[in-house]
Amino acid sequence: MKRVVLFFLLLVFSGVVRAQITADSIQRLDDVVLSDVKLKRYSHGYKVSVLSDSLLQKNRSSFTDILRFNSNLYFKENGYGMVSSPSFRGTNASQTAVIWNGISINSQLTGQTDFNTINTTSFKNVVIRSGGGSVQYGSGAIGGSIHLNNTLSFSPHFDNTVTLSYGSYDTKNVSYLSSYAKDKWSFNIGLNYIDSDNDYKYLSTDKRNTNGAYYNGSVNANVGYVLSSKDVLKLYHQTFLGEREFSGTSSSSSLAKYDDQNFRTMVEWSHQGDQTFSKLKVAHLQEHFKYFGNKNTENYTFGKVNTYLINYTADIDILTDLKLKPIVSYNYYEGSGSSFDDPNRKEFSTTALLQYTPNNQWQYGLNLRQDITSGFESPLLFSFDVAYEVSDYYTLKLNGSKNYRVPTFNDLYWQPGGNLDLVPENSYQIDLGQEISYKSAQLNLNAFYIKTTDLIQWEPNTSGFWSPENIAKTQNYGVEASLDVSKKIKEHHLSLQFNYAYTVSEDLETNAQLIYVPYHKANFNLAYAYKRMSLFFQHLYNGEVYTTPENLSGRFYSVEAYQVSNLGVSYQLFKTKSQQIDVSLKVNNLFNTAYENVAFRPMPDRNFNFQIQYKF
């Protein structure tokens, strides 16, 4: 019944929105750029990768799969559709920041973001920024950051996209995207609903994933209004409601269930002054979960956090080639839960970003940040970056930073096991990059080193339960390579994307590789298009990962390396000036490979997905 109600509410909301956008056009306005302007203007010395909206809309896979097959990130997923945790350059999930329109949305309970609770079809793009970002984005941005961006265009238009898909395991997905602008108004909305039995077969056994069903719905709505020639007011909102059964393992069944509720709302006022461009953001975020150990009962544990945020930024042109961006931010967190009392936290931060561009070849950045966090002594943070354009084809990039992560509410207050004596993690890193571009090809090569102290780890204590301690010192180093090539010959389009990462992430006391960090990870995407037809082939190689600190190989100590491939074909049924219909078929796990991403948690067998998309 809850599934029907959720789907009905999404459809009603869609109808109400469309009924409100009928005013006539009077004037044309330029596009309003990203809410997170500093991502573009203050990252010249960093590796930045962009996944476009066309890729996000055409790929109906989970956000986890999109990044798994299109980036160097490694994901630990507890069975398909279950909790999904990223590892960025060998760091853990709580050291990867997820940024929504310029503000962090990492959980204040766990410190991380579950990538299976994010639907990407409504975003203009997803940006992956490699390297430390605590100066710009606060606690947790140690390995890198992933940015979810919405944009509002004020050029008159009214565009709609409806997508329906059906796949194996009775998987149903429907989404509606609409974007409108007229006069001084701009509006876009994305609605998405997915429902799956997710009862895939465990290959080489007679078992199935009997407790893996899930469904969720999301709303992503954004509206902008031009107050004057210098002022624009924007509202961003996101809602995610989901329910998942939690899969068991290949040797034991499960009856667990988990409910997610995430609400995010932000108001932004932009003002263009004579010499300064400023933004004021006010936001409210809420995360809420319920965990049922037995889905057939009404007994559950819960956790809830409200975040209240106010943020002011300004872009000041000190000189023609020297720009300053001061940032002042205040966050207040209040939590409640069945495993802790009612904790709260206050954070105040001041940040200064300086960008110097003496000529067309050089870009320099120097950034400082000081946080004041209740209960902790936060370190002074810094970062620098340099970009040098050696020639039209070759650019050198260098960045370094000091980053940190404060303990989460779970780390501090969870009962039993929380530790009030924890101190923030500290990290130093440096990154050297090379970017080579020639015609329609681009090659990126990066080498990095990260050293982290006071790493927080949960371990069993003498009382028999798990508790976090600041015990580990780690170092991460490695190399990354990415290649993008595209070629057009008359009506034939070919493209190749390749990513490879070699990562060492080791405990400095034992010199052992950290668990669930592969030494090697690689993927490539090959696409071909001719007239109305297009084909693509994806392949992923994931190296062996250890599941115990002793770094032993074998069924009970590691997860074997695996390779998995996907194949897709799409065809454009028709296209006019105002309408377009595309159909597509995707085969996941093309060669029916038996593999695990987490020990004893098999991933799906060969499966299919059919999609039809109507644009008007």
Side-chain angles (χ1 to χ4, degrees):
M1 182 64 182
K2 286 195 292 184
R3 305 184 190 197
V4 176
V5 171
L6 178 58
F7 187 46
F8 177 74
L9 289 175
L10 292 178
L11 290 178
V12 170
F13 189 51
S14 168
V16 170
V17 167
R18 290 195 64 185
Q20 291 177 341
I21 48 180
T22 58
D24 292 331
S25 176
I26 295 177
Q27 66 182 115
R28 296 181 64 89
L29 295 169
D30 292 334
D31 286 357
V32 175
V33 296
L34 295 178
S35 177
D36 187 10
V37 177
K38 60 183 179 291
L39 173 62
K40 179 180 180 180
R41 296 181 181 174
Y42 296 89
S43 298
H44 295 287
Y46 291 82
K47 177 185 176 183
V48 177
S49 306
V50 180
L51 306 182
S52 66
D53 57 343
S54 59
L55 183 149
L56 300 175
Q57 290 183 31
K58 289 179 181 179
N59 196 326
R60 307 306 294 179
S61 301
S62 66
F63 192 23
T64 297
D65 276 348
I66 290 174
L67 293 173
R68 182 181 279 146
F69 281 92
N70 292 278
S71 75
N72 286 319
L73 274 75
Y74 164 75
F75 283 87
K76 184 175 71 172
E77 190 175 17
N78 294 329
Y80 190 79
M82 303 298 105
V83 175
S84 175
S85 307
S87 175
F88 208 136
R89 293 183 165 180
T91 61
N92 59 45
S94 58
Q95 295 173 333
T96 299
V98 179
I99 310 300
W100 173 68
N101 292 310
I103 63 174
S104 174
I105 59 172
N106 284 42
S107 169
Q108 294 301 311
L109 298 172
T110 64
Q112 65 186 65
T113 297
D114 181 353
F115 280 68
N116 282 333
T117 64
I118 295 177
N119 180 274
T120 60
T121 54
S122 300
F123 294 107
K124 181 64 178 177
N125 57 47
V126 171
V127 179
I128 304 168
R129 183 182 187 267
S130 302
S134 287
V135 172
Q136 295 188 14
Y137 300 107
S139 171
I142 292 177
S145 52
I146 298 168
H147 302 255
L148 311 172
N149 300 311
N150 296 109
T151 59
L152 287 161
S153 170
F154 286 85
S155 299
H157 67 278
F158 185 32
D159 303 317
N160 301 273
T161 302
V162 176
T163 306
L164 303 174
S165 71
Y166 183 80
S168 302
Y169 327 123
D170 198 25
T171 301
K172 303 171 285 290
N173 193 343
V174 55
S175 71
Y176 170 67
L177 305 177
S178 183
S179 178
Y180 171 86
K182 226 173 195 182
D183 300 340
K184 298 182 177 182
W185 289 93
S186 177
F187 176 84
N188 59 60
I189 186 171
L191 308 175
N192 187 80
Y193 176 79
I194 184 169
D195 188 325
S196 177
D197 290 344
N198 200 30
D199 56 345
Y200 54 85
K201 181 182 178 181
Y202 292 170
L203 291 172
S204 304
T205 75
D206 58 355
K207 298 180 179 180
R208 302 189 76 89
N209 191 41
T210 55
N211 197 66
Y214 62 86
Y215 69 91
N216 60 68
S218 61
V219 176
N220 199 328
N222 313 288
V223 60
Y225 179 68
V226 179
L227 298 170
S228 70
S229 60
K230 295 185 176 181
D231 298 276
V232 178
L233 189 65
K234 290 181 280 186
L235 171 68
Y236 300 92
H237 176 78
Q238 186 180 71
T239 290
F240 177 91
L241 304 174
E243 179 178 292
R244 286 177 286 181
E245 296 172 351
F246 269 3
S247 300
T249 67
S250 54
S251 58
S252 63
S253 59
S254 169
L255 288 174
K257 185 179 74 172
Y258 196 84
D259 288 354
D260 288 285
Q261 296 181 12
N262 293 300
F263 307 95
R264 304 176 182 115
T265 303
M266 181 172 70
V267 177
E268 179 184 282
W269 174 31
S270 303
H271 175 73
Q272 179 66 65
D274 294 334
Q275 294 181 324
T276 303
F277 177 73
S278 61
K279 285 188 177 183
L280 177 66
K281 297 180 180 182
V282 179
H284 171 244
L285 314 177
Q286 183 184 98
E287 55 177 302
H288 186 202
F289 78 85
K290 292 181 180 178
Y291 172 75
F292 298 78
N294 185 333
K295 65 183 181 181
N296 298 317
T297 71
E298 292 301 319
N299 299 321
Y300 61 85
T301 58
F302 76 94
K304 180 179 179 180
V305 175
N306 283 292
T307 299
Y308 304 93
L309 173 151
I310 183 168
N311 177 287
Y312 176 80
T313 66
D315 288 275
I316 304 171
D317 294 336
I318 300 176
L319 300 171
T320 304
D321 52 10
L322 185 63
K323 301 182 184 298
L324 173 66
K325 187 181 188 73
I327 306 171
V328 180
S329 182
Y330 175 78
N331 291 5
Y332 176 72
Y333 312 99
E334 58 178 15
S336 61
S338 50
S339 296
F340 44 81
D341 293 325
D342 300 311
N344 63 75
R345 175 180 295 168
K346 304 179 183 68
E347 290 181 352
F348 176 77
S349 67
T350 57
T351 306
L353 311 179
L354 195 66
Q355 187 71 38
Y356 178 49
T357 310
N359 51 52
N360 292 331
Q361 289 183 292
W362 288 95
Q363 297 268 7
Y364 300 93
L366 178 63
N367 313 309
L368 296 172
R369 176 181 176 125
Q370 179 63 63
D371 284 10
I372 301 174
T373 305
S374 57
F376 298 100
E377 292 186 9
S378 299
L380 176 66
L381 304 178
F382 68 85
S383 68
F384 69 88
D385 64 286
V386 180
Y388 174 54
E389 189 175 297
V390 180
S391 70
D392 292 339
Y393 312 110
Y394 182 47
T395 301
L396 280 171
K397 297 183 176 184
L398 176 69
N399 69 79
S401 57
K402 179 180 181 180
N403 306 283
Y404 83 120
R405 183 178 81 86
V406 296
T408 66
F409 282 170
N410 284 5
D411 293 333
L412 296 169
Y413 306 114
W414 190 270
Q415 293 300 322
N419 183 356
L420 294 174
D421 296 324
L422 294 173
V423 298
E425 299 174 349
N426 283 278
S427 175
Y428 292 89
Q429 76 158 348
I430 192 164
D431 180 331
L432 176 63
Q434 301 176 75
E435 185 178 291
I436 304 169
S437 301
Y438 181 71
K439 293 184 177 179
S440 57
Q442 180 172 309
L443 174 65
N444 286 277
L445 300 169
N446 287 77
F448 63 88
Y449 178 82
I450 306 170
K451 184 174 182 180
T452 304
T453 59
D454 293 320
L455 186 71
I456 298 172
Q457 287 189 331
W458 284 72
E459 294 188 348
N461 60 23
T462 55
S463 300
F465 49 80
W466 289 68
S467 181
E469 299 283 347
N470 291 108
I471 58 173
K473 295 182 180 180
T474 64
Q475 66 176 6
N476 303 42
Y477 59 89
V479 293
E480 297 174 341
S482 63
L483 174 67
D484 286 277
V485 181
S486 60
K487 184 69 174 178
K488 181 179 179 181
I489 304 174
K490 294 183 178 179
E491 294 186 90
H492 300 270
H493 299 257
L494 283 167
S495 66
L496 169 68
Q497 181 197 54
F498 170 78
N499 296 290
Y500 170 75
Y502 171 73
T503 307
V504 176
S505 181
E506 59 186 13
D507 188 319
L508 287 174
E509 295 182 3
T510 64
N511 293 322
Q513 181 86 341
L514 297 183
I515 64 173
Y516 285 106
V517 178
Y519 284 111
H520 303 279
K521 179 183 181 292
N523 58 58
F524 73 85
N525 291 263
L526 181 63
Y528 167 75
Y530 175 71
K531 294 184 177 179
R532 294 185 175 188
M533 185 192 71
S534 62
L535 296 165
F536 74 86
F537 177 78
Q538 297 177 316
H539 188 76
L540 168 69
Y541 171 80
N542 204 101
E544 179 186 25
V545 297
Y546 299 114
T547 60
T548 64
E550 292 78 19
N551 284 187
L552 302 175
S553 294
R555 173 62 175 162
F556 297 97
Y557 307 103
S558 68
V559 177
E560 293 182 353
Y562 64 85
Q563 300 187 60
V564 63
S565 301
N566 304 325
L567 178 67
V569 57
S570 64
Y571 184 78
Q572 189 179 97
L573 291 180
F574 77 90
K575 183 178 182 180
T576 66
K577 197 171 184 179
S578 59
Q579 299 183 74
Q580 179 179 328
I581 292 182
D582 298 321
V583 294
S584 62
L585 176 67
K586 183 180 180 184
V587 184
N588 299 303
N589 194 0
L590 178 65
F591 301 110
N592 211 28
T593 302
Y595 70 102
E596 296 176 351
N597 180 257
V598 170
F600 307 108
R601 295 183 181 271
M603 295 295 280
D605 55 345
R606 183 189 297 120
N607 60 93
F608 305 86
N609 181 273
F610 174 76
Q611 174 180 295
I612 182 167
Q613 187 173 85
Y614 176 39
K615 296 182 178 180
F616 58 98

